[in-house]
């Protein structure tokens, strides 16, 4: 499904119509403003307005933000570039392992898009809909599961940056912080779901049979995300567009077909807790 874009009017018009944009966001899981052409300061202002609308930080009372740039240089190894039919960035839920401070949303500003129009798409899958599509039996089962994954963390000290391998535990299903909808929460970087392991089931150590059932459900979910194009939402970018996705629900990936210095996205994340900037 191709994601529709809405015309950007003005920051003041958006601020004055919270119900209009709440309706779009919670119905479609994403708002994409066509040709917004904002600068960093305007993006930050909108980020705080949307924090008031959608229940994330930053917002008007806690305005701290953290900016990042995504040009996918780190996903380009040597002279190897992903084709238009391949993924430049694999499927994932944004920092899903950080259960205590979930990433809820973002503003993504496409500052530079000088590649072919049929490249560099962002794909999305709604993981609250994925939960609904499970059988009642599998919904009940996966709701009792706690995942454990091996993930990286980076510690910054006066001596530099240290990379650490950390085991993180988080629930396989969690209610959306605003809507309350049950949403699948898994590491999706591997197509077969193998990065996830069952840590606890219904508050206790799982049996071998429960581990096998968990593996079947997780593998099915991951394969659906990676291969079922019928459930995929497709964002075809143009330079100047601004996307506002519900990152608690939306798993996402990025298609290839572009090389270095052709595509630059400026992002700001919305989180469940206030940013603590040192």
């Amino acid at each position: 499904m191709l994601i529709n874009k809405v015309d950007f009017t003005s920051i003041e018009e958006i601020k004055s119509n919270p119900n209009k944009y709440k309706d779009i966001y919670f119905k479609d899981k994403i708002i994409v403003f066509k040709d917004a052409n904002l600068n960093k300061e305007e993006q930050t202002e909108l980020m705080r307005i949307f924090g008031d609308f959608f229940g994330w930080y930053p917002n008007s009372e806690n305005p701290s933000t953290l900016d990042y740039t995504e040009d996918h240089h780190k996903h380009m190894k040597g002279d190897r570039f992903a084709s238009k039919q391949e993924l430049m960035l694999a499927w994932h839920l944004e920092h899903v392992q950080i259960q205590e401070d979930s990433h809820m949303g973002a503003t993504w500003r496409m500052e530079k898009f000088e590649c072919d129009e049929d490249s560099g798409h962002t794909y999305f899958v709604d993981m609250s809909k994925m939960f609904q599509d499970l059988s009642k039996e599998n919904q009940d089962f996966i709701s009792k599961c706690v995942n454990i994954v091996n993930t990286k963390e980076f510690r910054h000290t006066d001596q530099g940056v240290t990379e650490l391998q950390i085991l993180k535990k988080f629930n396989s299903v969690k209610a959306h912080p605003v809507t309350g909808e049950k949403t699948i929460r898994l590491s999706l970087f591997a197509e077969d779901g193998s990065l996830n392991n069952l840590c606890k089931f219904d508050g206790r150590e799982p049996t071998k049979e429960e581990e096998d059932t968990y593996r079947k459900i997780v593998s099915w979910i991951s394969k659906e995300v990676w291969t079922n194009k019928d459930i995929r939402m497709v964002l075809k970018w143009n330079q100047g567009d601004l996307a506002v996705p519900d990152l608690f629900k939306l798993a996402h990936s990025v298609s290839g077909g572009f090389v270095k210095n052709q595509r630059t996205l400026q992002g700001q994340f919305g989180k469940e807790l206030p940013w603590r900037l040192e």
Side-chain angles (χ1 to χ4, degrees):
M1 178 185 73
L2 186 63
I3 295 172
N4 292 321
K5 301 179 183 182
V6 300
D7 291 328
F8 180 80
T9 51
S10 68
I11 293 176
E12 188 57 40
E13 187 275 333
I14 294 170
K15 185 177 182 179
S16 300
N17 290 281
N19 290 334
K20 171 184 175 180
Y21 292 101
K22 285 181 184 179
D23 288 346
I24 298 172
Y25 184 79
F26 290 119
K27 175 178 175 290
D28 297 341
K29 279 73 67 177
I30 188 171
I31 307 172
V32 182
F33 293 100
K34 179 182 179 182
D35 298 328
N37 291 306
L38 302 184
N39 59 33
K40 177 183 175 180
E41 290 72 24
E42 291 167 331
Q43 179 182 6
T44 300
E45 183 179 357
L46 265 186
M47 190 73 197
R48 294 166 181 162
I49 291 170
F50 289 139
D52 292 338
F53 288 2
F54 307 140
W56 71 46
Y57 296 92
N59 52 45
S60 57
E61 293 186 1
N62 292 272
S64 294
T65 59
L66 186 65
D67 300 278
Y68 72 97
T69 299
E70 182 58 87
D71 56 17
H72 295 288
H73 277 53
K74 60 182 175 291
H75 304 124
M76 302 175 186
K77 306 298 183 183
D79 294 327
R80 172 72 175 92
F81 300 99
S83 71
K84 296 175 182 179
Q85 290 72 42
E86 297 176 302
L87 295 182
M88 177 74 72
L89 176 61
W91 283 100
H92 62 288
L93 281 159
E94 203 67 56
H95 298 285
V96 68
Q97 75 280 0
I98 308 176
Q99 178 162 280
E100 64 277 9
D101 187 13
S102 299
H103 283 59
M104 292 178 60
T107 55
W108 289 341
R109 174 168 57 94
M110 189 55 71
E111 182 178 61
K112 184 177 184 180
F113 194 85
E114 297 178 350
C115 43
D116 293 342
E117 63 179 13
D118 60 345
S119 65
H121 304 331
T122 302
Y123 300 133
F124 300 94
V125 169
D126 180 0
M127 300 305 287
S128 63
K129 178 65 164 56
M130 182 69 69
F131 179 82
Q132 295 169 16
D133 288 344
L134 295 174
S135 68
K136 180 63 165 58
E137 180 181 6
N138 284 347
Q139 286 179 356
D140 292 342
F141 183 93
I142 199 70
S143 295
K144 298 176 182 178
C145 295
V146 176
N147 311 307
I148 186 167
V149 299
N150 193 346
T151 187
K152 295 179 182 178
E153 285 192 3
F154 297 91
R155 301 287 171 83
H156 297 264
T157 67
D158 293 339
Q159 288 71 43
V161 180
T162 303
E163 180 181 314
L164 302 174
Q165 295 292 325
I166 304 292
L167 290 174
K168 297 287 287 187
K169 300 175 184 178
F170 56 99
N171 294 336
S172 299
V173 175
K174 190 178 176 185
H176 189 282
V178 177
T179 69
E181 295 167 278
K182 290 187 175 181
T183 304
I184 298 292
R185 307 288 286 170
L186 294 171
S187 176
L188 298 168
F189 281 114
E191 184 175 342
D192 61 0
S194 58
L195 296 178
N196 303 277
N197 289 288
L198 182 59
C199 175
K200 294 287 184 180
F201 180 79
D202 203 15
R204 56 168 172 78
E205 295 296 318
T207 65
K208 177 63 166 61
E209 181 180 0
E210 287 162 350
E211 289 179 347
D212 291 343
T213 301
Y214 168 86
R215 181 59 55 207
K216 289 177 183 177
I217 297 172
V218 169
S219 297
W220 181 85
I221 291 170
S222 296
K223 185 175 181 181
E224 281 290 288
V225 171
W226 276 78
T227 64
N228 187 351
K229 295 183 180 180
D230 291 337
I231 64 173
R232 184 178 295 178
M233 301 159 57
V234 182
L235 173 52
K236 295 185 176 181
W237 290 95
N238 294 104
Q239 188 165 302
D241 290 346
L242 181 84
V244 191
D246 184 338
L247 292 184
F248 193 89
K249 292 182 183 180
L250 294 179
H252 49 286
S253 62
V254 177
S255 67
F258 59 97
V259 297
K260 293 180 179 180
N261 302 316
Q262 286 190 316
R263 184 187 188 275
T264 304
L265 181 147
Q266 300 294 344
Q268 295 179 341
F269 283 127
K271 302 210 311 179
E272 198 167 356
L273 299 176
W275 288 97
R276 293 177 175 85
L277 304 180
E278 296 180 358

